[in-house]
Amino acid sequence: MTETTGYSGGGFVHIKNPHLDSMEEDILYHLDLGTKTHNLPAMFGDIKFVCVGGSPNRMRAFAQFVQRELGLAGAGEELPDICAGSDRCAMYRAGPGSPSHGMGIPSISIMLHELIKLLHHAKCRDVTIIRIGTSGGLGIEAGSVVITDTAVDSSFQPRFEQVVLGDVVLRSTELDKDLAEELLACSREIADFPTLIGHTMCTYDFYEGQGRLDSALCSFSSEKKLEYLRRAYDAGVRNIEMESTAFAALCGLCGLKAAVVCVALLDRLEGDQIRASHEVLWEYQQRPQRLIAAFIRQRLGLGPKGPTH
Ligand code: R2B
Ligand code: URA
């Protein structure tokens, strides 16, 4: 069974679940929010940009960074975690919302179902959602930022397989091409690092699933690994991570304009271990953040802002 991309009438988030309407209350358990306990339209109704990422610390730093970059009130002050009552997700508000989603498809799926329902309950309109994260590069310089045009699975197919009641449902993983181009154009203006558009391969594992030779179990040779990675490169893959297919599929079906922007921590054609120093990795991880902050400034008509770090 294949599901096609959703259409969002009036810019609203498109929820495709008839059961939700008959629920007296919707408890967003992992976000520690609920439709009765919280006034979600008042708390979130004006949200236009949502940025999601794997690590709570990184997302807090990002929210603080955006607060400074956009010149918002409270810049420099501690930001409260809106999901403080949950030890599963953290969420910060600084103009844009920036929740963290943990590692891998099951983790981001849970967060996205609740986040998308949150945007729906809050009656948000015309929301742009961006995943910022890290990845392994393929034939590109470490530190390069990849803007995903299409997320592909480990057979290089643009699909996400979700098992529903024991059946495999195939979902499209196309992302918004215009948004990807807009982000690339923005990077041309501000970035002092390489940025490119390419396919992103999403796997269910960091080690065997990404063809690493440094895992606890390994059944393939170095030649086989390189042959697989070169085939991925020839299919257009420029980086590898662990959430993009589920992110693209869910956001697409719910009518959200979505993008994936990940920095490459290494070139997987050259090795498997991440050897760069903490300082270098920290600076790499700020690159997608700097790009997105500049993009939001541009969208809000705030104009360029000197060096972005
Ligand atoms: C990128 O980095 C994480 C694994 O280290 C994973 O969440 C991903 O997609
Ligand atoms: N994240 C991944 O999923 N793979 C890498 O190689 C680096 C970061």
Side-chain angles (χ1 to χ4, degrees):
M1 187 169 128
T2 305
E3 288 178 8
T4 48
T5 297
Y7 147 78
S8 141
F12 287 110
V13 181
H14 195 73
I15 291 285
K16 294 183 161 181
N17 178 1
H19 303 290
L20 277 189
D21 293 338
S22 57
M23 283 166 54
E24 212 182 303
E25 181 179 11
D26 189 7
I27 295 169
L28 309 173
Y29 165 65
H30 301 85
L31 300 182
D32 195 32
L33 294 168
T35 48
K36 273 196 160 169
T37 43
H38 297 86
N39 183 346
L40 299 178
M43 288 172 78
F44 300 104
D46 59 337
I47 289 275
K48 294 293 176 208
F49 302 97
V50 179
C51 301
V52 303
S55 133
N57 283 338
R58 198 178 343 123
M59 295 321 288
R60 187 183 50 235
F62 175 61
Q64 285 166 335
F65 175 63
V66 166
Q67 203 163 22
R68 284 195 305 275
E69 287 295 299
L70 301 187
L72 297 171
E77 290 168 18
E78 252 327 280
L79 278 175
D81 173 4
I82 299 166
C83 306
S86 159
D87 58 357
R88 303 290 184 186
C89 292
M91 179 154 61
Y92 302 95
R93 246 209 90 143
S98 50
S100 66
H101 57 61
M103 284 191 284
I105 286 174
S107 180
I108 197 171
S109 280
I110 295 170
M111 190 280 288
L112 278 178
H113 278 284
E114 294 185 10
L115 175 66
I116 293 170
K117 288 196 298 172
L118 167 62
L119 297 172
H120 165 72
H121 292 311
K123 301 188 172 35
C124 296
R125 295 176 83 154
D126 301 319
V127 174
T128 297
I129 181 165
I130 303 173
R131 160 167 149 70
I132 52 176
T134 58
S135 62
L138 214 49
I140 60 174
E141 198 187 317
S144 303
V145 170
V146 179
I147 302 164
T148 308
D149 54 3
T150 304
V152 298
D153 66 12
S154 47
S155 308
F156 323 138
Q157 299 303 310
R159 65 184 178 200
F160 171 57
E161 293 185 358
Q162 173 72 52
V163 179
V164 180
L165 303 182
D167 292 324
V168 174
V169 178
L170 294 183
R171 293 177 173 161
S172 161
T173 54
E174 292 285 320
L175 287 155
D176 192 286
K177 297 272 187 296
D178 292 340
L179 179 57
E181 289 295 343
E182 196 180 339
L183 286 164
L184 184 69
C186 184
S187 78
R188 298 271 180 266
E189 284 177 30
I190 63 112
D192 49 10
F193 47 81
T195 312
L196 60 138
I197 290 185
H199 295 354
T200 294
M201 181 162 82
C202 180
T203 66
Y204 285 94
D205 168 49
F206 182 84
Y207 284 101
E208 289 180 285
Q210 295 187 6
R212 282 189 150 80
L213 298 171
D214 59 346
S215 38
L217 298 175
C218 188
S219 56
F220 48 83
S221 63
S222 160
E223 290 72 28
K224 283 276 178 208
K225 162 198 154 175
L226 283 174
E227 186 261 333
Y228 175 67
L229 293 183
R230 287 202 184 104
R231 268 198 296 125
Y233 184 89
D234 291 342
V237 174
R238 292 296 176 270
N239 66 338
I240 310 173
E241 48 76 272
M242 298 175 57
E243 292 87 14
S244 57
T245 50
F247 175 83
L250 264 169
C251 294
L253 280 166
C254 294
L256 287 165
K257 287 199 184 304
V260 178
V261 179
C262 290
V263 68
L265 302 183
L266 75 171
D267 180 0
R268 288 297 318 288
L269 295 179
E270 289 178 359
D272 295 333
Q273 298 232 307
I274 298 170
R275 294 178 184 281
S277 68
H278 285 122
E279 290 71 30
V280 168
L281 292 176
W282 179 251
E283 195 278 313
Y284 283 174
Q285 289 178 37
Q286 285 181 322
R287 294 179 177 190
Q289 302 186 11
R290 288 164 53 202
L291 172 53
I292 300 312
F295 162 77
I296 294 173
R297 278 188 69 84
Q298 207 172 67
R299 277 276 185 101
L300 296 178
L302 296 175
K305 182 167 191 275
T308 55
H309 54 161

